[in-house]
Amino acid sequence: MLVKKILITGGAGFIGSHLARRLIARGDEVTVLDNLFTGTRSNIYDLQDNHRFSFVLHDVTQPFWGQFDEIYNLACPASPIHYQRNPVETLKTSFLGTMNVLELALKTKARVFHTSTSEIYGDPEIHPQPESYWGHVNPIGIRSCYDEGKRASETLCADYAREYGIDVRMIRIFNTYGPYMHQQDGRVISNFILQALRGRDITLYGEGDQTRSFQYVDDLVDAMVMFMGLPSETVQAFFEKRGMRIPVINVGNPDEYTILQLAEEIMKLIPGCVSRCVYLPLPKDDPRRRKPDIRLAAELLQWHPRVPLQEGLSKTIAYFSQRM
Amino acid sequence: MLVKKILITGGAGFIGSHLARRLIARGDEVTVLDNLFTGTRSNIYDLQDNHRFSFVLHDVTQPFWGQFDEIYNLACPASPIHYQRNPVETLKTSFLGTMNVLELALKTKARVFHTSTSEIYGDPEIHPQPESYWGHVNPIGIRSCYDEGKRASETLCADYAREYGIDVRMIRIFNTYGPYMHQQDGRVISNFILQALRGRDITLYGEGDQTRSFQYVDDLVDAMVMFMGLPSETVQAFFEKRGMRIPVINVGNPDEYTILQLAEEIMKLIPGCVSRCVYLPLPKDDPRRRKPDIRLAAELLQWHPRVPLQEGLSKTIAYFSQRM
């Protein structure tokens, strides 16, 4: 197999670092580009000395250059606690970062993977959400910098594909967790694990009855790499047959748990855990429920999530407790 | 009254040229910035020699500089025939243009008017659409470059307002027509008037029973100028009282006409018109119906559309026939 030259924007982040590790392991040359806003050097520490690995400290809102076979566009703060710290930068990262990736792909004929998100469905009115669902998003709310930024970057990808023939593939990622996730990302799994490990109160918002689906990061990386490995003609034919012009699939774990179930699952996995659940008011614009329809991914990639919640949580708890 | 220094991006376009004329007439100094993609010099020909008028040939996707009291951000192709000719540029114009305006406002403390659009509601599921409606938009369709670009630029405005305190006011403009509208914009009023004046078939899409509301341009410019004339505290208090943080209002004419009624109205106004109606298939993603809820504009500005369809059409037909 030919060695591929691969660029990962946001490659020092949670998902990016897993992807980098996977691609290095299979023999590719990987360049990680990251501004380290939410990514960290420690996430890629084990790769630093690998001769097939390079790190570039750079902000994707500024153009960059390099000849790559494939570009994975992952750069963007993805948790409310991070993206709301600087909403304008988040929007710029999403839009300008994607634009710079697509411009580079246009010059170099690289294949592009774009990381989209279930957040483009907003607070959905149908369950589960298929790729054809247009979403329900507040354009001027406090989550909009992320949701609308990601929607507009999907639009960029779609239009660069239609107008310039860029080979771009998108995955709308649903809740994903695992080792290397940001401990202070303020999201439910990291919050609960930290609280449980420290024996503190576990904070639930609302009644704790909103449901979420949780995907272990290895399952996601499987899908990403498989999707990018398909020949262009296969991808094109698959989507055209389904009346879709733009290759986009949901990837997530459709098993639903309430937030309360998640808290209980985590407490069970920590021997002697003394935490108890407390309830706080629901934040503004928080989606009540979200669950992926993954039939397209299953058909296209013969992919299904394989890691059960308990197993994924165990590995994540082990990672967190080791870090504490 | 103090002379204001005002920048209008896209000021050589249809609405921009009306606004420029209005502001010059009331004594302001007006700079029009336009790349002339859809705007034309002929639209502002009558202003060229005015000593309070300046024209700058510039593309808003590139930063620009100047000290202004107010910036009206109008630059963006707005008709499908134009924006679909170059979807990527349309998206960039919308996003980067708005970003550059907001950056300039941040440096210079200018007040910003941002032109949004009823298209952010997409193919709406409720009628009429209030400002609180989140819309129903396809993120990766062929109209998305405009719809999502405009949504993301609203998000930019909202986030610059929240994060940096920029005084930004937005109007979501519904269908607007009048003299100086682009004759080849492919939109229904210009199409019908041109076809009727030339005695050609009038082309309706679908059954012609989709409804639209049509606003005469003078009514819109009234609302824009009134909105920008309000003190910051008034605007802030008005929206806060209604639980809204971001000042955005719909402006349009809520009188609904079917496309067929419009065609008939136009034919009536052209003496000896020999055209007849023919029906073509409905284009993809074409919204079936759209009607503004203008209660906020009415309360905030004591504004109501004043020009009846027949009067507005007469003036527009006169303009078109003079140009032929």
Side-chain angles (χ1 to χ4, degrees):
Chain A
M1 201 168 117
L2 218 67
V3 172
K4 280 189 192 139
K5 284 189 250 176
I6 298 180
L7 176 69
I8 307 175
T9 73
F14 162 44
I15 295 168
S17 63
H18 281 271
L19 176 66
R21 215 165 279 116
R22 176 79 64 95
L23 296 172
I24 292 276
R26 79 169 189 197
D28 291 328
E29 277 183 22
V30 171
T31 302
V32 157
L33 189 150
D34 206 298
N35 70 351
L36 301 179
F37 174 60
T38 58
T40 61
R41 288 215 180 245
S42 62
N43 282 350
I44 46 172
Y45 187 72
D46 54 321
L47 300 172
Q48 300 275 36
D49 294 332
N50 194 301
H51 67 283
R52 279 182 280 105
F53 177 82
S54 323
F55 175 77
V56 180
L57 181 66
H58 184 85
D59 193 299
V60 287
T61 61
Q62 302 301 319
F64 40 90
W65 170 256
Q67 183 70 51
F68 302 99
D69 302 303
E70 297 180 358
I71 307 173
Y72 286 80
N73 184 36
L74 274 72
C76 194
S79 70
I81 210 169
H82 290 135
Y83 63 68
Q84 286 171 1
R85 191 178 302 160
N86 196 336
V88 167
E89 269 312 300
T90 301
L91 256 171
K92 286 187 189 172
T93 302
S94 204
F95 190 91
L96 301 178
T98 305
M99 191 182 88
N100 287 330
V101 161
L102 292 164
E103 285 291 325
L104 178 56
L106 185 58
K107 284 183 207 139
T108 59
K109 302 194 186 305
R111 179 176 294 177
V112 174
F113 177 91
H114 176 67
T115 315
S116 190
T117 164
S118 60
E119 300 283 336
I120 72 118
Y121 298 128
D123 192 2
E125 292 146 316
I126 60 166
H127 301 277
Q129 294 87 46
E131 290 81 354
S132 56
Y133 179 55
W134 288 1
H136 182 224
V137 172
N138 180 356
I140 53 174
I142 57 164
R143 296 177 76 105
S144 308
C145 60
Y146 188 65
D147 303 1
E148 292 290 351
K150 282 295 194 178
R151 288 177 70 94
S153 48
E154 278 204 8
T155 312
L156 272 171
C157 290
D159 281 324
Y160 271 83
R162 271 188 295 252
E163 195 173 342
Y164 303 124
I166 303 278
D167 181 352
V168 55
R169 297 139 193 232
M170 297 192 263
I171 287 182
R172 292 178 182 152
I173 301 179
F174 285 65
N175 262 2
T176 301
Y177 71 100
Y180 297 100
M181 69 191 299
H182 203 292
Q183 298 188 38
Q184 262 74 49
D185 74 356
R187 285 196 281 190
V188 63
I189 287 202
S190 49
N191 276 357
F192 285 3
I193 293 179
L194 279 182
Q195 289 167 336
L197 283 173
R198 290 171 177 155
R200 297 201 185 141
D201 288 347
I202 294 193
T203 47
L204 285 77
Y205 294 90
E207 311 284 311
D209 60 347
Q210 62 273 50
T211 63
R212 290 286 186 276
S213 60
F214 303 101
Q215 162 175 252
Y216 189 66
V217 63
D218 285 355
D219 286 332
L220 168 63
V221 173
D222 285 348
M224 291 168 72
V225 171
M226 280 195 262
F227 197 8
M228 278 295 267
L230 294 179
S232 304
E233 308 72 45
T234 309
V235 173
Q236 215 173 326
F238 178 86
F239 286 93
E240 268 175 15
K241 203 175 138 191
R242 283 153 185 84
M244 297 167 72
R245 172 73 184 77
I246 303 300
V248 59
I249 54 174
N250 291 331
V251 170
N253 191 323
D255 293 346
E256 283 186 293
Y257 295 87
T258 67
I259 296 297
L260 181 59
Q261 285 174 320
L262 176 72
E264 290 168 345
E265 217 35 78
I266 288 170
M267 289 189 285
K268 262 191 275 173
L269 288 167
I270 298 175
C273 178
V274 296
S275 300
R276 60 192 183 93
C277 292
V278 297
Y279 296 84
L280 297 178
L282 211 58
K284 226 174 165 178
D285 287 359
D286 190 49
R288 292 281 312 155
R289 190 180 167 207
R290 215 180 275 135
K291 177 187 172 170
D293 178 335
I294 55 169
R295 282 175 298 173
L296 272 188
E299 282 176 52
L300 176 66
L301 308 172
Q302 283 75 53
W303 170 91
H304 282 93
R306 290 181 305 182
V307 183
L309 184 65
Q310 220 184 359
E311 183 187 332
L313 284 179
S314 293
K315 290 183 181 173
T316 312
I317 291 168
Y319 168 81
F320 272 60
S321 61
Q322 189 194 345
R323 291 278 153 146
M324 276 171 73
Chain B
M1 199 168 119
L2 219 67
V3 173
K4 280 188 191 141
K5 284 188 249 173
I6 298 180
L7 176 69
I8 308 174
T9 74
F14 161 44
I15 295 167
S17 63
H18 281 271
L19 176 65
R21 215 166 278 116
R22 175 79 65 96
L23 296 172
I24 291 276
R26 78 170 189 196
D28 291 329
E29 277 184 23
V30 172
T31 302
V32 156
L33 189 150
D34 206 298
N35 69 351
L36 301 179
F37 174 60
T38 58
T40 61
R41 289 215 179 244
S42 62
N43 282 350
I44 45 171
Y45 187 71
D46 54 320
L47 299 173
Q48 301 274 37
D49 295 332
N50 194 301
H51 67 285
R52 279 181 280 105
F53 178 82
S54 322
F55 176 78
V56 180
L57 182 66
H58 185 84
D59 192 300
V60 287
T61 61
Q62 302 301 320
F64 39 92
W65 170 255
Q67 184 69 51
F68 302 99
D69 302 303
E70 297 180 356
I71 307 174
Y72 286 80
N73 184 36
L74 275 72
C76 193
S79 70
I81 211 170
H82 291 135
Y83 65 65
Q84 286 171 1
R85 191 178 302 159
N86 196 335
V88 168
E89 269 313 300
T90 301
L91 257 170
K92 286 187 191 172
T93 302
S94 206
F95 190 91
L96 301 178
T98 304
M99 191 182 88
N100 287 330
V101 161
L102 292 163
E103 285 291 325
L104 178 55
L106 186 58
K107 284 181 209 141
T108 59
K109 302 194 186 303
R111 178 175 293 175
V112 173
F113 177 91
H114 176 66
T115 315
S116 190
T117 164
S118 60
E119 300 284 336
I120 72 117
Y121 298 127
D123 193 1
E125 292 147 316
I126 59 166
H127 301 277
Q129 294 88 46
E131 289 81 354
S132 56
Y133 179 56
W134 288 1
H136 181 224
V137 171
N138 180 355
I140 53 173
I142 57 164
R143 297 176 75 106
S144 308
C145 60
Y146 188 66
D147 303 1
E148 293 290 351
K150 282 295 193 177
R151 287 178 69 94
S153 46
E154 279 203 8
T155 311
L156 273 171
C157 290
D159 281 324
Y160 272 83
R162 271 189 295 253
E163 196 172 342
Y164 303 124
I166 302 278
D167 181 352
V168 55
R169 296 138 193 232
M170 297 192 263
I171 286 182
R172 293 178 182 153
I173 301 178
F174 284 66
N175 262 2
T176 301
Y177 71 100
Y180 297 99
M181 70 192 295
H182 203 292
Q183 299 188 37
Q184 262 76 48
D185 75 355
R187 286 196 281 190
V188 62
I189 288 202
S190 49
N191 276 356
F192 285 3
I193 292 179
L194 279 181
Q195 289 168 333
L197 284 173
R198 289 171 176 154
R200 295 194 187 146
D201 289 346
I202 293 192
T203 47
L204 285 78
Y205 295 90
E207 311 284 311
D209 60 347
Q210 62 273 52
T211 62
R212 290 286 186 278
S213 61
F214 303 101
Q215 160 173 253
Y216 189 66
V217 63
D218 285 355
D219 286 331
L220 168 63
V221 173
D222 286 348
M224 292 167 72
V225 171
M226 281 193 265
F227 197 7
M228 278 294 266
L230 294 178
S232 303
E233 308 72 44
T234 309
V235 173
Q236 216 173 325
F238 178 87
F239 286 94
E240 268 175 14
K241 202 175 137 190
R242 283 155 186 83
M244 296 167 73
R245 172 72 185 75
I246 303 300
V248 58
I249 53 174
N250 291 330
V251 170
N253 192 323
D255 294 345
E256 283 188 292
Y257 295 87
T258 67
I259 296 295
L260 182 59
Q261 285 174 320
L262 175 72
E264 289 169 343
E265 218 35 78
I266 288 170
M267 289 189 283
K268 263 193 272 173
L269 287 167
I270 298 174
C273 178
V274 297
S275 300
R276 61 193 183 93
C277 293
V278 297
Y279 296 84
L280 297 178
L282 212 59
K284 225 173 165 179
D285 287 358
D286 189 49
R288 293 280 313 152
R289 191 180 167 208
R290 214 180 277 136
K291 178 188 172 170
D293 178 335
I294 55 169
R295 284 175 298 173
L296 272 189
E299 282 175 53
L300 176 65
L301 309 172
Q302 284 73 53
W303 169 92
H304 282 94
R306 290 182 306 183
V307 183
L309 184 65
Q310 219 183 0
E311 183 187 331
L313 284 178
S314 292
K315 289 182 180 172
T316 312
I317 291 168
Y319 168 81
F320 272 61
S321 62
Q322 190 195 344
R323 293 275 153 146
M324 275 171 75

